[in-house]
Amino acid sequence: MPEHTKIVRSKLYEGPVNLALEEYLLRNCDENTVILYLWQNNKTIVIGRHQNPYKECDVKKMEAEGVNLVRRKSGGGAVYQDLGNLNFTFISGRDHHDITRQYKVILKALESYGIYGEISGRNDLTVDGQKFSGNAFMNHKEVQCHHGTLLLDVDLKALPKYLTPSQLKIKARGVDSVKSRVVNLRSLNEKITTEDLSSKIIDAFKEEYSYTGEIEEIGPENVEEEVLGEAKAYEEWTWNYGKAPSFDLTLEEKYPWGVFEMDLSTKNGRIQEAAINTDCILKEDFIPLTKDLVGTPLAAKDMEEVLQNSLQNPEIIRDLQSLVREKL
Ligand SMILES: Nc1ncnc2c1ncn2[C@@H]1O[C@H](COP(=O)(O)OC(=O)CCCC[C@@H]2CCSS2)[C@@H](O)[C@H]1O
């Protein structure tokens, strides 16, 4: 038995803050402790550590429709979450990490609704072959972290809508998500709500780990400054987009002044090389642009500035600025 157990429930709903809180718990957990942490995010796609956001999701549509993007530190694929999704995390010291036991807590909680889930080969929990939970793992020194999602009442239409590549011609490396047939637990038992399931998971955890203590609720009034500071790192463009493995993409469009095609190779979210092909009939020199783009972050606002400074013709500048705004 571990010497210490702890239960933390977040009443904050921003992905970056919740991931920062998870990381804080992980860093400060000693080897004799097991922590259960429950949390929910407002509309967010959480991508895996080694994923390319442009390849996994429609970043433009997400931006336009208020869906956040955040990169986590564990591996695996991209998942969509809204308040119909509940996340659970088990943080455990070296000798107490036991995935089967951790899954057992979740499955036991579901049994009280007459739902008999199964552990599938690839880090999923399923019922009748349909996935309701995706799981991923990471560690900090000797402390292990196992976290998973639970689809209760998520807007399932949002999955194909946002978990689909951006409208970019892109050749990318990195980890691909594995699309599954998914199911909302609510469709199996209408009594299941995130609050009710949270308390069932807490009961199952208490029983499994013989815990009798309190539940620590973290909200805006008591969240540590350190966590809010760390959350900033999860909001950075350089982390969420910039950490994408190297990839190449092509931006192309037909204009009254000619066909424009620009090939970009990127590394750490910045342009490493740019090549332009065009049969432009207007007077313009594109060579300075290919040089000035090197080192620029692959983000519309940075590229718009470079276009403004490197090109002469206002019509071309305007067209290409809207091209990058539209595509990136
Ligand atoms: N919320 C949610 N829950 C379960 N499955 C999902 C979800 N959203 C999408 N999907 C399905 O899973 C695949 C991706 O599966 P894949 O196996 O590639 O990735 C995962 O499962 C990653 C799980 C990460 C868990 C973390 C825990 C705390 S924050 S995120 C996707 O294409 C959809 O078909």
Side-chain angles (χ1 to χ4, degrees):
M1 281 288 149
E3 288 194 74
H4 309 291
T5 21
K6 183 163 146 172
I7 299 175
V8 180
R9 173 77 164 112
S10 171
K11 293 283 171 184
L12 299 157
Y13 301 101
E14 283 85 43
V17 178
N18 283 327
L19 284 168
L21 177 54
E22 180 181 65
E23 196 175 338
Y24 176 85
L25 295 170
L26 176 61
R27 284 224 213 101
N28 293 291
C29 177
D30 67 62
E31 59 183 50
N32 287 318
T33 300
V34 175
I35 303 172
L36 169 69
Y37 165 52
L38 296 169
W39 46 296
Q40 283 172 273
N41 294 329
N42 50 30
K43 291 189 202 169
T44 305
I45 286 185
V46 187
I47 57 170
R49 177 161 200 139
H50 304 290
Q51 290 200 297
N52 183 322
Y54 299 102
K55 196 174 168 208
E56 295 304 325
C57 34
D58 191 332
V59 293
K60 271 279 126 189
K61 201 179 277 170
M62 288 166 64
E63 231 171 73
E65 297 178 14
V67 178
N68 305 310
L69 171 82
V70 66
R71 180 187 299 277
R72 60 179 190 270
K73 293 195 175 165
S74 62
V79 286
Y80 173 81
Q81 313 192 339
D82 58 24
L83 294 178
N85 179 91
L86 175 67
N87 291 318
F88 61 85
T89 306
F90 290 91
I91 295 171
S92 41
R94 187 181 39 200
D95 298 334
H96 304 292
H97 180 62
D98 182 341
I99 299 177
T100 315
R101 200 171 174 206
Q102 291 156 193
Y103 277 137
K104 189 172 144 197
V105 168
I106 303 299
L107 294 177
K108 185 121 187 266
L110 290 173
E111 280 174 19
S112 55
Y113 300 96
I115 297 172
Y116 297 88
E118 283 175 56
I119 305 170
S120 91
R122 15 172 351 273
N123 302 334
D124 295 338
L125 294 177
T126 59
V127 66
D128 292 332
Q130 301 188 73
K131 174 175 178 175
F132 61 83
S133 170
N135 292 259
F137 305 86
M138 62 180 167
N139 69 300
H140 174 72
K141 297 184 179 154
E142 304 278 10
V143 182
Q144 299 286 335
C145 171
H146 161 196
H147 55 191
T149 61
L150 288 164
L151 288 168
L152 272 81
D153 196 12
V154 169
D155 173 14
L156 294 184
K157 288 195 295 297
L159 272 58
K161 188 163 161 200
Y162 303 117
L163 287 172
T164 188
S166 303
Q167 304 289 308
L168 282 173
K169 279 195 165 181
I170 166 172
K171 276 189 242 130
R173 287 183 280 277
V175 171
D176 291 333
S177 300
V178 181
K179 293 240 167 4
S180 299
R181 280 201 306 141
V182 293
V183 63
N184 267 323
L185 294 167
R186 188 79 178 270
S187 70
L188 305 174
N189 183 330
E190 62 183 24
K191 293 211 183 73
I192 194 165
T193 61
T194 45
E195 267 329 291
D196 198 61
L197 179 58
S198 298
S199 63
K200 295 275 186 341
I201 293 174
I202 289 170
D203 290 346
F205 179 83
K206 284 182 166 176
E207 198 185 320
E208 180 62 36
Y209 292 88
S210 312
Y211 179 71
T212 51
E214 299 286 300
I215 300 161
E216 198 182 322
E217 284 203 349
I218 307 284
E221 64 298 339
N222 62 347
V223 59
E224 301 271 352
E225 278 305 316
E226 193 182 329
V227 171
L228 295 177
E230 290 287 323
K232 297 230 161 43
Y234 280 102
E235 283 164 9
E236 297 277 350
W237 186 91
T238 42
W239 169 250
N240 291 319
Y241 290 89
K243 285 282 173 231
S246 319
F247 66 102
D248 300 337
L249 81 156
T250 304
L251 296 176
E252 61 182 352
E253 196 61 79
K254 262 191 208 144
Y255 296 106
W257 46 265
V259 173
F260 176 85
E261 186 192 298
M262 179 159 69
D263 297 317
L264 301 170
S265 25
T266 74
K267 195 175 176 192
N268 294 332
R270 285 178 191 270
I271 298 167
Q272 249 193 336
E273 224 181 298
I276 292 171
N277 284 316
T278 176
D279 54 6
C280 181
I281 52 168
L282 302 175
K283 189 171 165 330
E284 182 63 83
D285 179 8
F286 288 95
I287 305 285
L289 177 62
T290 58
K291 299 203 171 108
D292 295 346
L293 281 172
V294 174
T296 305
L298 187 75
K301 72 172 180 2
D302 299 278
M303 290 181 67
E304 279 181 65
E305 207 178 302
V306 176
L307 288 162
Q308 183 68 50
N309 296 333
S310 302
L311 299 175
Q312 307 297 324
N313 187 299
E315 187 184 345
I316 300 180
I317 295 174
R318 195 199 54 220
D319 285 346
L320 297 185
Q321 284 183 328
S322 54
L323 175 68
V324 297
R325 254 199 318 273
E326 211 178 280
K327 302 279 183 176
L328 297 175

